[in-house]
Amino acid sequence: MECVRSGVLDLRCSAHFSGKKGGSTTSCGRSSSTYLVFSTKYHHNSQLAARRSSCLVHRSSVPKQQQNFSVRSSSADVCTTFDENVKGVSSHAAEEKIGVLLLNLGGPERLDDVQPFLFNLFADPDIIRLPRLFRFLQRPLAKLISTFRAPKSKEGYASIGGGSPLRKITDEQANALKLALKKKNLHADIYVGMRYWYPFTEEAIDQIKKDMIMKLVVLPLYPQYSISTSGSSIRVLQNIVREDSYFAGLPISIIESWYQRDGYVKSMADLIEKELSVFYNPEEVMIFFSAHGVPLTYVKDAGDPYRDQMEDCIALIMGELRSRGILNRHTLAYQSRVGPVQWLKPYTDEVLVELGQKGVKSLLVVPVSFVSEHIETLEEIDMEYKELALESGIENWGRVPALGCTSSFISDLADAVIEALPSASVMVTRKANDDDSDMDLIHYLSKMFFGSVLAFVLLLSPRLISAFRNTLL
């Protein structure tokens, strides 16, 4: 299948690059990192020369090193020590001005931020995927959903201190990554770009341009690829490249997913092993992997490789644990579903009840989609799901912390950045044609008119408001 059409990455083809069906992952002992890069003929006014047009999928094997890292279970700890047997970089790469862009979701830092944050989230067409005919409803619908969900979401954020810790933790990870790269002889500037709250990806992009970065590695902080997470952030980057001559000539390497890397797998196994040791009978504990869900249509209709990658990820982690003699039972479920549509199953809340009914007494929850603590771990898992589990008959509850700045994890991310640098090339994006440009004003006016009519009707209809609220909440 042609996966770059008219120079644009077709996200429906992502499984060919990074999912199980594409065959780009291997066992933990022989894992590989996949970098999707693009090149075309271009001219950069100051520093970059012309390159030949091509579309390249580069796979570089991951060198195996004996690692002896100290592991910290708190996501807020900033790691400062790394393996002395580090991977170095060439002197040429060390002389270039390198940038690393960390992409993440973002989160409201105050309760007043919750509603606008939710609006940004639901206004993303990769989150609510409307048919083309109804895309003019995207922003009005986002306004309605965010307005109705804000009170409940505020309660959740209030229960964890009044805001999300995601920005603070991501900044700490950025600082730790900078130190790890320096240890490996690579001096790089690290930038943080959030998709739905400050600092937005666009702000990070502006700073990268001001700093005149010569080569950029894009590293989404999502271990597994999904069109609603990494894909959405990459789409923002593609839109910027399409309009900005500087980024049109900047060599960029995108690390789409990295769940298969030894450093990640071993770091997760370390944390699980540590938390298992807290239980009175560790061998009796059920290991419960809870992943953030996505609507089923993303996988079935849009070709999202997320489910395949998640199942591969669990297999790799459990394989590592078995190699250490840890033979506990395990299961995988999906959390955080919203609305009436079907999401990936099984659902976390339903499985917790079933496990209690089956007589499971000890449970260790592993938030496998997340490398930072935020509301889905601190409130949804630690409060809602814990209460449900105890009510269902589970007596002993434990939860593995997010990786945060665990030193082995950060060091492996640094290795991933170094491995990605040689494959950095120029992204190709399709420029809008004249017909598209002519229709922009018409589309905008249509959205404003029909969206306003819809909002007006819904807001004046108590029955519709009630039905809509019940559907969302």
Side-chain angles (χ1 to χ4, degrees):
M1 179 182 290
E2 185 82 10
C3 287
V4 178
R5 298 185 177 94
S6 301
V8 181
L9 170 64
D10 189 345
L11 293 178
R12 293 172 296 180
C13 302
S14 297
H16 290 270
F17 297 112
S18 53
K20 177 190 297 182
K21 298 177 182 178
S24 62
T25 63
T26 60
S27 66
C28 184
R30 299 182 299 278
S31 64
S32 64
S33 297
T34 302
Y35 311 108
L36 179 62
V37 295
F38 307 87
S39 67
T40 186
K41 192 172 183 179
Y42 71 98
H43 174 73
H44 193 288
N45 292 333
S46 57
Q47 298 156 314
L48 306 175
R51 297 176 183 264
R52 187 177 60 183
S53 176
S54 65
C55 174
L56 172 67
V57 177
H58 172 73
R59 295 179 175 88
S60 60
S61 59
V62 182
K64 305 300 174 291
Q65 299 179 356
Q66 295 296 324
Q67 302 177 350
N68 184 22
F69 301 112
S70 60
V71 177
R72 302 172 186 174
S73 60
S74 171
S75 64
D77 289 338
V78 178
C79 108
T80 56
T81 60
F82 303 91
D83 189 357
E84 292 299 323
N85 184 23
V86 297
K87 178 186 301 183
V89 297
S90 67
S91 58
H92 174 70
E95 293 172 359
E96 291 181 304
K97 195 164 186 182
I98 305 298
V100 179
L101 174 59
L102 301 181
L103 299 176
N104 213 333
L105 183 80
E109 298 178 50
R110 304 172 304 154
L111 295 182
D112 289 342
D113 299 336
V114 171
Q115 193 276 327
F117 164 77
L118 291 175
F119 173 81
N120 293 337
L121 177 70
F122 293 117
D124 182 359
D126 288 319
I127 298 297
I128 296 182
R129 299 172 62 84
L130 296 177
R132 181 178 298 274
L133 184 63
F134 298 102
R135 287 181 185 172
F136 67 90
L137 297 175
Q138 190 84 47
R139 292 177 67 84
L141 188 60
K143 182 67 174 179
L144 285 170
I145 296 175
S146 62
T147 299
F148 288 131
R149 288 193 61 84
K152 183 178 180 180
S153 294
K154 283 184 178 180
E155 292 177 5
Y157 283 106
S159 69
I160 62 171
S164 172
L166 191 59
R167 178 176 181 176
K168 176 178 180 294
I169 295 171
T170 306
D171 286 342
E172 290 169 351
Q173 290 170 325
N175 292 332
L177 179 60
K178 186 179 182 71
L179 290 174
L181 288 169
K182 187 176 180 181
K183 285 277 187 179
K184 299 172 188 291
N185 196 35
L186 179 65
H187 295 268
D189 294 324
I190 314 296
Y191 305 87
V192 172
M194 300 296 191
R195 183 65 179 91
Y196 305 115
W197 203 244
Y198 301 99
F200 289 109
T201 303
E202 293 84 351
E203 298 177 66
I205 290 295
D206 287 343
Q207 191 60 51
I208 289 170
K209 185 176 180 179
K210 290 177 182 177
D211 292 344
M212 295 298 291
I213 293 299
M214 300 171 64
K215 188 176 290 186
L216 181 67
V217 175
V218 179
L219 176 59
L221 289 177
Y222 310 102
Q224 306 84 15
Y225 178 91
S226 173
I227 58 177
S228 61
T229 54
S230 302
S232 178
S233 293
I234 291 170
R235 181 174 57 81
V236 171
L237 183 62
Q238 289 175 323
N239 292 339
I240 291 172
V241 170
R242 185 182 300 119
E243 303 297 333
D244 192 294
S245 59
Y246 172 81
F247 285 97
L250 179 68
I252 299 174
S253 183
I254 301 174
I255 306 175
E256 285 197 319
S257 64
W258 37 268
Y259 69 90
Q260 71 276 41
R261 296 186 60 85
D262 281 354
Y264 169 75
V265 171
K266 291 179 179 179
S267 295
M268 289 294 294
D270 288 342
L271 293 183
I272 293 171
E273 184 176 16
K274 178 180 179 181
E275 295 302 319
L276 281 174
S277 67
V278 176
F279 287 85
Y280 183 72
N281 292 312
E283 66 280 356
E284 297 179 0
V285 178
M286 168 77 78
I287 300 175
F288 188 106
F289 292 96
S290 186
H292 197 290
V294 298
L296 185 60
T297 55
Y298 285 26
V299 175
K300 285 192 170 182
D301 299 336
D304 196 332
Y306 178 71
R307 180 172 61 184
D308 286 343
Q309 291 193 4
M310 184 58 65
E311 292 173 356
D312 284 345
C313 178
I314 304 307
L316 292 173
I317 294 172
M318 290 308 301
E320 174 63 25
L321 289 172
R322 284 192 294 271
S323 72
R324 304 179 185 190
I326 299 172
L327 306 177
N328 295 60
R329 294 174 298 160
H330 74 281
T331 191
L332 166 65
Y334 296 91
Q335 65 180 85
S336 307
R337 70 184 187 275
V338 178
V341 300
Q342 186 174 354
W343 286 47
L344 290 182
K345 289 185 175 182
Y347 299 141
T348 293
D349 53 353
E350 294 179 357
V351 174
L352 288 174
V353 174
E354 292 172 4
L355 291 177
Q357 293 172 345
K358 292 178 180 178
V360 173
K361 297 301 181 184
S362 299
L363 198 70
L364 178 61
V365 180
V366 184
V368 70
S369 299
F370 315 111
V371 298
S372 305
E373 303 289 359
H374 59 308
I375 193 167
E376 278 86 356
T377 59
L378 299 174
E379 194 271 336
E380 189 172 11
I381 293 178
D382 288 354
M383 298 180 187
E384 294 182 27
Y385 291 151
K386 180 180 180 180
E387 181 180 0
L388 177 61
L390 297 178
E391 290 175 351
S392 301
I394 294 170
E395 298 174 356
N396 305 304
W397 170 276
R399 203 263 286 180
V400 171
L403 284 166
C405 287
T406 301
S407 56
S408 56
F409 165 60
I410 295 295
S411 183
D412 190 65
L413 287 186
D415 286 342
V417 169
I418 292 171
E419 293 165 16
L421 280 171
S423 62
S425 188
V426 174
M427 295 181 66
V428 173
T429 59
R430 180 180 63 87
K431 291 185 178 181
N433 57 37
D434 293 338
D435 292 337
D436 293 337
S437 301
D438 292 340
M439 292 298 291
D440 284 346
L441 180 59
I442 297 176
H443 286 168
Y444 176 76
L445 293 176
S446 298
K447 290 178 182 179
M448 290 297 294
F449 176 74
F450 289 108
S452 299
V453 171
L454 175 68
F456 181 77
V457 171
L458 288 175
L459 290 175
L460 288 183
S461 173
R463 180 175 297 179
L464 285 175
I465 289 176
S466 178
F468 193 75
R469 186 195 306 273
N470 292 336
T471 298
L472 293 175
L473 303 179

